[in-house]
Amino acid sequence: MASRAKKRDAGPELARVLYALGDPIRLEIVRQLARQGEIPCLGFGIDMPKSSLSHHFRVLREAGILGSRAEGTSIFNFLQVEELERRFPGLLPGILGNL
Amino acid sequence: MASRAKKRDAGPELARVLYALGDPIRLEIVRQLARQGEIPCLGFGIDMPKSSLSHHFRVLREAGILGSRAEGTSIFNFLQVEELERRFPGLLPGILGNL
DNA sequence: TTTATTGTTCGATAAAACTCGAACCATATG
DNA sequence: CATATGGTTCGAGTTTTATCGAACAATAAA
């Protein structure tokens, strides 16, 4: 076996992404980002303490769904569209199409 | 408000489906069903007690992802492809394509 | 420098989910 | 009838997650 060392068990990685998206609040975050581009953490209009929001952003970032960019005192979040499309082709469109 | 009473918040329903799929074991179940059609509960080769397996099947069924058909003493599971496609167009293909 | 604004991180607590054995229920088969 | 097969359900124990307040850090503005 020569030309195969990658293509490993894709299950866990995909499961992690789906798990991260399997929450109404996090799905709402993704929904707004898909429509409005970049949004700072406290700009989603979600009524919830900062620490709770921060938790959800972390889950989404660690799953590779969100990226963030610091500007001033704000942290702008954005969907990592290209990277996700590369990792899981067709997945994101299939989800965003139902938001 | 006349012509709108449905089309409610699609978030929770979608989140439930994604949550159900956000687990390696359940994703493996879906993967096998996508390839082999109908499989009885104990036919997935997953090393786990029946009660634990039953739990995962319940999660998948209650999310509307799996259907089941009793035959003899067995219960055959299958993906509810059409129903899922109707509820969330393009979602299932986007996921199965990465399994 | 002081004061806001925008977050993160750290416990602690509460709620959910996973796992497992045991009991149970059909449907078969001997 | 007795026994095996294939699953579900229940209850308990364990592990994860979610939520929140409090403390902290960095940048901006007064």
Side-chain angles (χ1 to χ4, degrees), chain B residues 32 36 38-46 53 57 74-75 77:
Chain B
Q32 294 193 30
Q36 310 181 25
E38 288 190 326
I39 306 177
C41 295
L42 300 184
F44 288 84
I46 299 176
L53 271 182
F57 282 111
S74 290
I75 295 181
N77 299 278

Side-chain angles (χ1 to χ4, degrees), chain B residues 63-81:
Chain B
I65 297 170
L66 260 53
S68 54
R69 176 179 64 81
E71 182 176 316
T73 98
S74 290
I75 295 181
F76 284 86
N77 299 278
F78 54 89
L79 276 179
Q80 293 208 290
V81 181

Side-chain angles (χ1 to χ4, degrees), chain B residues 55-96:
Chain B
H55 161 69
H56 288 296
F57 282 111
R58 191 161 60 88
V59 172
L60 287 169
R61 291 193 195 112
E62 290 182 345
I65 297 170
L66 260 53
S68 54
R69 176 179 64 81
E71 182 176 316
T73 98
S74 290
I75 295 181
F76 284 86
N77 299 278
F78 54 89
L79 276 179
Q80 293 208 290
V81 181
E82 299 84 359
E83 179 168 330
L84 274 173
E85 187 61 25
R86 179 170 50 77
R87 293 173 64 199
F88 306 109
L91 178 64
L92 192 56
I95 290 169
L96 297 185

Side-chain angles (χ1 to χ4, degrees), chain A residues 41-42 50-51 54 61 73 75:
Chain A
C41 295
L42 301 184
K50 304 185 298 179
S51 52
S54 197
R61 290 193 196 112
T73 98
I75 295 182

